[in-house]
Amino acid sequence: MTSCHVCHNPAITPVAVDTRPPRLVSSDARPVEGTVGYGYCDVCGTLQKLIDRRWRDVSDRVYDTYDINHQSEGAEPKVFGSPFGDGPRSQVLLGLFLENAQLGEEGRLLDVGCSNGNLLASFHALRPQWRLSGSEISDQWQSTVLSMPGVDAFFVGREIDYPESYDVISLSHVLEHIPDPSAFLQRLSRHLTPEGRFLIAVPDLRQNPIDLVIADHCTHFDANALMNVLDKSGLIVDTLTAEGLPKELVAIARVGTATEKPTPYVVRSSLLDLCEKYLALLWDVTDAARHAGQTSGKFGLMGSSIAAVWLAEELGSSVTFFVDEDRDRIGSHLLGRPIFGMDQVPEGATVFIPLSVNVAKKIVDRGRKYPIHFVYSESNRPDTN
Ligand SMILES: [Zn+2]
């Protein structure tokens, strides 16, 4: 029996997936061999991967060969239609942050899980006088990040004793990878200045069922689950929103004083029910896509990220190309197949959209002028309630 890695409840409820476990994809959108277990904690309500040898083996393999944004040679994905503007993801995230937190012209920022430094570069453009540090589990991007303007330190390792304090510690898509995230945040809290703040972004399972198949994600957050982890870490949440970035939750939090009350949770449907519903939804999507592939001579998938890679692995050789609207990705290859723009799709081809009905409808609208037969699954409706 594995215990809950958030509240340490020793009796976690396994989620039954053994009859048809979904294939796994890494968070950098590569196929992953192997399977993992899922568990739900009745005490704290967290949905998680079982932190056992299987999960550790799978996630270690993912990190050994991590290749962020390989579909676009390292360029980060772009965000469209956010209330905080359009553009590279980290720019939009920082736009949200600056609107909700007062930051002076000078200060220190530590970006934990900085990878190739996209967030540090975006932050430097907004606050050029700040001193920036990055931190990663490997030294893969050390020289890249240290050569960026404003950056004066790069730390390597999993449990780092940082030599100074920071006005901002950012964790963009980090917390979902970390077993026992509250213990991790408590250690980091000691490196915040008294007025310092965390900027935290994680995937939102309620907006994004595909998060379940991401092998190296060990917590599948919704707003409640994130609030719970931040509360257990002794943090007060000043902002928590699912509206800033598509399919993500963004929180701004600080170390609370003894008299401050934690923010009350919003009660929502259980993540155990949601997980079972989403696994069924993923199989509906697979079946709809398989049918579309069998009835079409030329068949491709919309997108070049996690959902497209996952579905291509499930379907096999019927998928002959991918389609993307991001100019940084068009012309590259994924899983040995080309990534086309909509204007390059062979005439009369079928393109399956493995995304929610709302998103799929917008894509179909934008692609109306091309001779593409778009298909999506009507049951792909994430439950944001
Ligand atoms: Zn728990």
Side-chain angles (χ1 to χ4, degrees):
M1 183 70 75
T2 315
S3 59
C4 170
H5 77 100
V6 170
C7 76
H8 308 125
N9 160 29
I12 186 166
T13 308
V15 180
V17 294
D18 291 349
T19 48
R20 203 180 170 187
R23 281 173 196 263
L24 299 172
V25 177
S26 59
S27 55
D28 60 342
R30 294 172 298 138
V32 176
E33 293 294 321
T35 56
V36 291
Y38 296 80
Y40 175 73
C41 176
D42 291 316
V43 174
C44 73
T46 305
L47 179 68
Q48 54 204 277
K49 301 271 173 41
L50 300 176
I51 309 295
D52 51 16
R53 176 174 285 197
R54 270 196 304 175
W55 181 78
R56 289 187 190 279
D57 284 350
V58 161
S59 61
D60 284 350
R61 268 192 279 129
V62 169
Y63 299 139
D64 279 349
T65 52
Y66 213 74
D67 189 9
I68 192 162
N69 299 321
H70 54 88
Q71 310 96 317
S72 52
E73 295 178 346
E76 61 179 330
K78 295 192 179 62
V79 169
F80 299 99
S82 158
F84 303 95
D86 293 343
R89 189 186 151 275
S90 65
Q91 264 180 37
V92 177
L93 173 63
L94 291 173
L96 185 164
F97 185 46
L98 290 182
E99 200 145 304
N100 287 280
Q102 298 292 321
L103 293 192
E105 290 305 314
E106 292 182 14
R108 284 179 180 171
L109 173 139
L110 169 67
D111 188 30
V112 176
C114 66
S115 69
N116 59 358
N118 283 323
L119 186 142
L120 292 169
S122 297
F123 192 87
H124 178 73
L126 295 164
R127 288 289 186 278
Q129 295 176 58
W130 277 54
R131 290 177 51 204
L132 312 178
S133 299
S135 158
E136 257 304 336
I137 56 173
S138 88
D139 62 3
Q140 185 183 351
W141 293 288
Q142 183 162 17
S143 57
T144 307
V145 171
L146 281 174
S147 70
M148 292 177 150
V151 176
D152 57 17
F154 186 94
F155 302 97
V156 180
R158 284 177 191 264
E159 289 191 20
I160 299 159
D161 190 20
Y162 299 99
E164 53 188 353
S165 296
Y166 302 91
D167 303 293
V168 174
I169 298 180
S170 50
L171 298 142
S172 174
H173 286 233
V174 171
L175 226 47
E176 67 273 22
H177 298 259
I178 310 273
D180 202 345
S182 289
F184 177 76
L185 282 174
Q186 280 168 7
R187 282 197 301 275
L188 275 179
S189 297
R190 297 199 283 270
H191 301 286
L192 270 184
T193 58
E195 302 291 310
R197 272 152 295 185
F198 282 114
L199 169 62
I200 292 167
V202 296
D204 183 4
L205 179 65
R206 289 193 187 268
Q207 299 181 64
N208 193 19
I210 202 74
D211 193 55
L212 290 174
V213 310
I214 302 180
D216 42 321
H217 286 182
C218 61
T219 308
H220 300 291
F221 285 104
D222 71 349
N224 273 354
L226 179 58
M227 194 74 91
N228 177 46
V229 164
L230 299 177
D231 184 25
K232 281 195 183 345
S233 316
L235 299 175
I236 294 292
V237 178
D238 289 325
T239 301
L240 197 165
T241 177
E243 315 292 329
L245 292 171
K247 299 186 280 191
E248 297 186 43
L249 293 164
V250 179
I252 302 170
R254 60 190 159 80
V255 177
T257 59
T259 54
E260 276 181 294
K261 298 256 186 302
T263 320
Y265 305 158
V266 187
V267 178
R268 292 183 165 182
S269 64
S270 127
L271 286 175
L272 176 60
D273 295 344
L274 193 76
C275 179
E276 287 167 349
K277 180 182 163 183
Y278 278 5
L279 289 168
L281 178 159
L282 292 176
W283 292 128
D284 281 351
V285 168
T286 312
D287 293 342
R290 185 167 287 121
H291 181 257
Q294 282 163 352
T295 51
S296 162
K298 294 169 247 173
F299 182 63
L301 297 176
M302 191 73 205
S304 60
S305 295
I306 312 282
V309 170
W310 166 73
L311 194 52
E313 286 294 289
E314 294 284 357
L315 299 181
S317 60
S318 64
V319 178
T320 57
F321 60 91
F322 296 93
V323 184
D324 210 301
E325 295 176 279
D326 185 338
R327 287 277 143 205
D328 289 339
R329 295 184 173 197
I330 295 167
S332 314
H333 282 73
L334 183 64
L335 305 174
R337 294 129 174 169
I339 304 175
F340 293 144
M342 281 204 204
D343 56 345
Q344 300 163 329
V345 172
E347 196 170 337
T350 297
V351 172
F352 186 85
I353 309 174
L355 304 166
S356 71
V357 171
N358 286 347
V359 177
K361 280 182 174 163
K362 288 180 192 157
I363 292 170
V364 172
D365 236 29
R366 293 196 292 271
R368 220 168 269 293
K369 59 182 167 181
Y370 303 107
I372 303 171
H373 177 228
F374 285 109
V375 181
Y376 54 86
S377 166
E378 276 294 335
S379 52
N380 195 346
R381 293 173 190 272
D383 179 8
T384 52
N385 298 312

